[in-house]
Amino acid sequence: MDLKTKVWSQWITMLHKQEERSRHRESILLGQIKKSLPEYNHVGEISITELHVIQAIGNSMSMNVTSIAQQIGVTKSAISKITARLIKKELIERYQLEDNQKEVFFRLTRGGETVYRYHEHYHYRLEQHMNKFLERYSEKELAFLAEVMIAATDEMSKNWVDELE
């Protein structure tokens, strides 16, 4: 097996493992969130996209549909639907500024704050784990790895489907 084939094979294996682990970690996280919100039995399931919307709102003081859509990379229409669900679940609420009654912003409720804190802690633990893993590599190796990952991410952003038809 040539080196490019070996790298490709390992890349695919890594992506599959990441997807599998991600689903498992998300399941654990969502279970912990649900246990921590006994007074929010009406919440039901929380999707990963809903978690990202909660994170975006929690990270900023004034988020509207447009700013959330831009930050997490989904359409404004999708954000409108997600925020409506989150309002119904009582995890976020709408508000308007006194001097701007036209624009609608969102903020977290007490339940939303709890979800936000769990999600932030989850990401913090993942980052700590990855930093510990990366300590085994030199600065030069890390610079090369970063370069490869940036280029690979850019390549994955291209629409390969058009080329396959």
Side-chain angles (χ1 to χ4, degrees):
M1 179 182 328
D2 73 329
L3 198 50
K4 286 180 188 174
T5 303
K6 187 175 180 179
V7 168
W8 171 248
S9 177
Q10 191 58 47
W11 186 273
I12 294 298
T13 300
M14 182 183 73
L15 290 176
H16 288 179
K17 286 211 179 288
Q18 169 59 25
E19 186 177 332
E20 180 182 297
R21 294 289 299 154
S22 184
R23 269 195 241 113
H24 179 69
R25 285 191 305 259
E26 289 164 2
S27 173
I28 291 170
L29 173 65
L30 294 173
Q32 289 173 340
I33 288 170
K34 225 171 170 156
K35 284 180 189 173
S36 73
L37 297 171
E39 69 275 17
Y40 282 79
N41 288 331
H42 60 281
V43 168
E45 295 298 314
I46 301 173
S47 74
I48 295 305
T49 307
E50 288 172 336
L51 275 176
H52 290 150
V53 169
I54 289 170
Q55 183 180 22
I57 294 168
N59 286 341
S60 179
M61 292 306 226
S62 56
M63 294 295 275
N64 60 19
V65 168
T66 303
S67 57
I68 296 168
Q70 289 171 343
Q71 185 171 335
I72 68 172
V74 297
T75 65
K76 290 191 287 186
S77 170
I79 294 300
S80 292
K81 291 174 186 170
I82 293 166
T83 54
R85 285 196 308 264
L86 290 172
I87 289 168
K88 197 175 208 176
K89 294 176 181 185
E90 299 176 17
L91 296 174
I92 66 170
E93 59 188 12
R94 287 184 169 106
Y95 73 96
Q96 294 174 305
L97 302 175
E98 284 187 32
D99 62 339
N100 181 358
Q101 292 295 305
K102 185 178 175 187
E103 201 164 8
V104 174
F105 295 94
F106 301 98
R107 64 179 158 229
L108 301 178
T109 63
R110 200 176 94 244
E113 284 284 344
T114 300
V115 172
Y116 173 76
R117 283 193 306 276
Y118 265 94
H119 192 238
E120 284 295 298
H121 182 69
Y122 167 79
H123 276 273
Y124 173 78
R125 287 181 50 207
L126 288 176
E127 184 179 351
Q128 295 303 307
H129 180 78
M130 183 54 76
N131 286 338
K132 187 174 182 174
F133 165 76
L134 293 173
E135 285 176 1
R136 65 178 80 171
Y137 299 100
S138 70
E139 288 297 313
K140 186 176 180 180
E141 289 169 321
L142 290 172
F144 176 73
L145 180 59
E147 184 181 319
V148 168
M149 292 178 77
I150 289 167
T153 303
D154 289 345
E155 189 65 26
M156 287 179 181
S157 297
K158 295 178 182 174
N159 189 355
W160 292 350
V161 174
D162 294 342
E163 295 175 15
L164 297 175
E165 293 177 346

